[in-house]
Amino acid sequence: MKPSDKFETLAIRTQTERSQFGEHSTPLYLTSSFVFDDAEDMRASFAEEKEKNLYSRFSNPNTTEFVDKITQMEGAESGYAFATGMAAVFSTFGALLNAGDHIVSARSVFGSTHSLFTKYFPKWNITTSYFDIKKVDQIEALIQPNTKILYAESPTNPAVDILDLELLGQIAKKHNLLLVIDNCFATPYLQNPIKFGADLVIHSATKLIDGQGRVLGGVVVGKAELVKEIYLFSRNTGPSMSPFNAWVLSKSLETLAVRVDRHCENALKVAIFLETQSNVTFVKYPFLKSHPQYEVAKKQMKLGGNVIAFEVKGGIDKGREFLNKLKLCSLSANLGDTRTIATHPASTTHSKLSEAERLEVGITDGLVRISVGLENVEDIIEDVRQGLN
Ligand SMILES: Cc1ncc(COP(=O)(O)O)c(C=O)c1O
């Protein structure tokens, strides 16, 4: 039963049925399979005439609880949970596309998603055309008769650009495409792409949903008939989330709203501080008035998120120097952790791209990405200040 429409309440009160032990908090159901009353019960369950757990690759009470929460938070009909965010991304395309299909995607997508488009999908004759996020008026010209999916992330990683989800929804509807949005940076608390016309929403639960840098996870929610295809594909190919991770992540969702509120409050303060620094050329944070897509961000996001991109004057060397001087902030590949994390994309995640290719996705040589954590914000600002000087 739906406990409430209010985000915080459903995050806490959506729970699997209580067992005979009367536990208050949902226990961990570490079981590979489930038992049946008799042969007829087993037949009917396998024939999907009954909604029962059969095997934890298909479903499990912990994964169901986690998925139910995300489904309600995103205003979706149905969902399925995966071992990682990338398993969710790959399985979505794997389930819905056929050889010969075409994808139109924003150029700024997560690195491994870009590898799927450029290295692996062409093996199955699935091709991708990229649009520049600053030239959304060119999207329609890329659509071909075999285009099936329009794909984007917003805010983007690592340049923190914003795409107008309402506009993407209108284009997808006009051309009868499926709109698939990776909503990882925003979380279901800050942004609900389905409201703007998305058919499917993907999350890497590894980021703010876990929020404490412990487990990996992914989830897809959206239209029931599409999720059914993704579920059938996944139940046979095996990328499902473990019950343990689902248990951890479902508990994490109970505190998502309060955590993300504080992440955003801290991030805005750090972004405002960065704007006052003479050796910072620009700061990109969705809820700063100076952000090029500030109005769009305000329209579709509740708060600005926890990731800031900014440029240190002096190129690659100065960007690296800034990272080396940090004492509190961690140098790590993750984001959305309680601990503030800084990265320098030009010398790490995007070092294999040419400078021109990096610039196409907004990565200048001195660009630093900060995932602002939950430490006292004065300490975060002090660390950034001493790193810059
Ligand atoms: C936007 C985005 N999508 C997907 C992923 C992949 O998630 P995972 O690492 O859980 O596979 C990431 C990871 O950083 C991401 O930032």
Side-chain angles (χ1 to χ4, degrees), residues 149-181:
I149 288 180
L150 179 58
Y151 186 81
E153 299 168 9
S154 186
T156 62
N157 183 9
V160 197
D161 286 305
I162 301 289
L163 274 153
D164 187 336
L165 298 180
E166 191 178 8
L167 176 73
L168 296 184
Q170 285 162 359
I171 295 172
K173 194 163 176 207
K174 182 171 160 200
H175 294 273
N176 203 18
L177 308 179
L178 297 176
L179 177 61
V180 182
I181 299 292

Side-chain angles (χ1 to χ4, degrees), residues 28-301:
L28 174 55
Y29 289 95
L30 271 189
T31 177
S32 320
S33 67
F34 300 82
V35 289
F36 304 94
D37 298 336
D38 51 35
E40 175 49 24
D41 182 34
M42 195 166 182
R43 184 208 61 78
S45 302
F46 271 82
E48 294 187 12
E49 290 164 20
K50 288 180 171 181
E51 249 191 52
K52 272 189 109 161
N53 292 307
L54 314 180
Y55 190 66
S56 286
R57 171 154 41 84
F58 306 176
S59 69
N60 169 286
N62 294 122
T63 49
T64 302
E65 182 183 286
F66 170 69
V67 170
D68 280 353
K69 287 184 184 181
I70 301 277
T71 301
Q72 292 177 70
M73 289 170 172
E74 287 286 10
E77 292 170 4
S78 169
Y80 187 77
F82 296 86
T84 64
M86 279 324 296
V89 173
F90 176 72
S91 304
T92 300
F93 288 108
L96 301 177
L97 294 182
N98 294 312
D101 284 342
H102 175 249
I103 302 160
V104 171
S105 168
R107 191 181 301 280
S108 314
V109 287
F110 179 61
S112 296
T113 306
H114 177 72
S115 296
L116 291 182
F117 293 162
T118 52
K119 186 166 175 199
Y120 296 102
F121 289 171
K123 292 206 298 188
W124 300 298
N125 195 23
I126 293 169
T127 49
T128 304
S129 300
Y130 284 122
F131 64 89
D132 183 331
I133 53 143
K134 292 191 190 77
K135 295 179 189 151
V136 284
D137 53 323
Q138 294 177 359
I139 297 176
E140 288 191 90
L142 298 173
I143 298 169
Q144 306 172 5
N146 57 341
T147 306
K148 202 148 174 202
I149 288 180
L150 179 58
Y151 186 81
E153 299 168 9
S154 186
T156 62
N157 183 9
V160 197
D161 286 305
I162 301 289
L163 274 153
D164 187 336
L165 298 180
E166 191 178 8
L167 176 73
L168 296 184
Q170 285 162 359
I171 295 172
K173 194 163 176 207
K174 182 171 160 200
H175 294 273
N176 203 18
L177 308 179
L178 297 176
L179 177 61
V180 182
I181 299 292
D182 181 333
N183 202 25
C184 166
F185 268 41
T187 81
Y189 179 58
L190 299 181
Q191 176 174 279
N192 296 131
I194 288 172
K195 271 195 211 147
F196 301 101
D199 298 284
L200 290 166
V201 177
I202 298 177
H203 286 281
S204 162
T206 316
K207 315 296 171 196
L208 284 161
I209 289 179
D210 172 57
Q212 288 142 91
R214 300 164 300 181
V215 299
L216 294 116
V219 63
V220 177
V221 297
K223 293 215 169 98
E225 85 246 25
L226 300 174
V227 172
K228 177 93 190 204
E229 287 301 314
I230 297 167
Y231 160 71
L232 291 173
F233 178 85
S234 306
R235 118 179 202 166
N236 288 303
T237 52
S240 41
M241 179 179 278
S242 83
F244 177 77
N245 285 11
W247 179 79
V248 171
L249 291 165
S250 185
K251 304 280 178 217
S252 301
L253 287 175
E254 296 186 12
T255 57
L256 184 72
V258 285
R259 286 189 289 105
V260 173
D261 273 338
R262 180 61 72 85
H263 272 290
C264 297
E265 191 186 315
N266 284 358
L268 183 60
K269 286 182 183 161
V270 175
I272 289 170
F273 164 76
L274 282 166
E275 277 203 316
T276 64
Q277 297 304 292
S278 57
N279 45 359
V280 169
T281 20
F282 67 81
V283 183
K284 281 230 305 280
Y285 181 70
F287 269 35
L288 278 184
K289 284 215 174 85
S290 57
H291 191 289
Q293 296 101 15
Y294 171 73
E295 294 301 334
V296 181
K298 279 274 180 182
K299 177 179 73 170
Q300 64 196 30
M301 295 176 78

